[in-house]
Amino acid sequence: MDREFLTDLFADFGPVTIRRMFSGYGISADGINFALSLRAGLFFRADEVTIPDFEAEGSKPFQYSTRAKTVVVNSYWELPARLFDDSEEFVQWARAALAAAQRAKVKKRPKKRAASKVAPKKSVAKKTAGTAAKTTVRRAGKATRPPQLAERRRKRAHRSK
């Protein structure tokens, strides 16, 4: 499916954003991706509410093969072929897919950040009004490193071997 076909297909649904993704396109509305157009077909976002509709139509979830196994992605299901000819019902299915994507977005929790292994930085004392601020002047051209820094790096590299 090319971009023009997808634009025409979703015309009755409303404004969508179509972006290149994998071997096809990702289709989103209101910043939420709810459909994938790939070589294998058009796939809509699904969840526990909408999967029974896809199963009733004989659709299957999106799947792809790796060298080791076949991966089944239950969150995207193939759109029944009959819906390409019925724009009203297509829009209903597209709205249901967008709603499923919105529900999935609400379920996602922010990931916890891993505790940093680096010790926290020590607080820097504030300068008093009487202390003059230092200014650093950088010259254009090749940067040189102080010899002490190079020596420390050489010793560190030697120790780690």
Side-chain angles (χ1 to χ4, degrees):
M1 286 178 241
D2 64 352
R3 185 181 222 101
E4 283 183 41
F5 177 77
L6 292 170
T7 302
D8 292 341
L9 189 63
F10 284 94
D12 291 339
F13 172 77
V16 293
T17 303
I18 301 171
R19 293 188 183 151
R20 293 285 298 151
M21 182 181 282
F22 308 120
S23 64
Y25 297 98
I27 301 148
S28 59
D30 301 327
I32 299 173
N33 197 38
F34 70 96
L36 296 174
S37 173
L38 305 170
R39 282 180 257 162
L42 183 62
F43 297 87
F44 275 178
R45 182 70 190 226
D47 62 3
E48 64 277 350
V49 175
T50 58
I51 287 176
D53 296 333
F54 286 99
E55 289 175 333
E57 293 284 338
S59 294
K60 295 181 180 179
F62 172 64
Q63 57 185 344
Y64 61 93
S65 298
T66 65
R67 290 182 183 170
K69 62 183 177 179
T70 299
V71 178
V72 178
V73 182
N74 273 324
S75 56
Y76 284 91
W77 283 64
E78 188 172 15
L79 188 68
R82 68 177 184 78
L83 295 176
F84 289 101
D85 297 327
D86 186 353
S87 65
E88 287 181 24
E89 196 168 356
F90 176 85
V91 169
Q92 291 174 350
W93 281 68
R95 288 203 173 105
L98 179 59
Q102 289 169 335
R103 287 189 295 269
K105 186 176 180 180
V106 170
K107 283 183 182 179
K108 282 186 180 179
R109 294 181 182 161
K111 293 180 181 179
K112 292 182 181 178
R113 290 187 171 199
S116 178
K117 292 182 181 179
V118 178
K121 293 182 179 180
K122 294 180 182 178
S123 62
V124 178
K126 294 183 180 181
K127 293 182 181 179
T128 59
T131 309
K134 291 183 180 179
T135 57
T136 304
V137 177
R138 281 202 133 157
R139 289 186 235 162
K142 188 174 180 180
T144 59
R145 293 199 168 123
Q148 301 89 357
L149 181 61
E151 181 65 21
R152 273 190 256 144
R153 286 190 178 166
R154 187 185 61 74
K155 285 181 181 178
R156 193 178 310 136
H158 182 68
R159 278 187 273 160
S160 65
K161 289 183 181 178

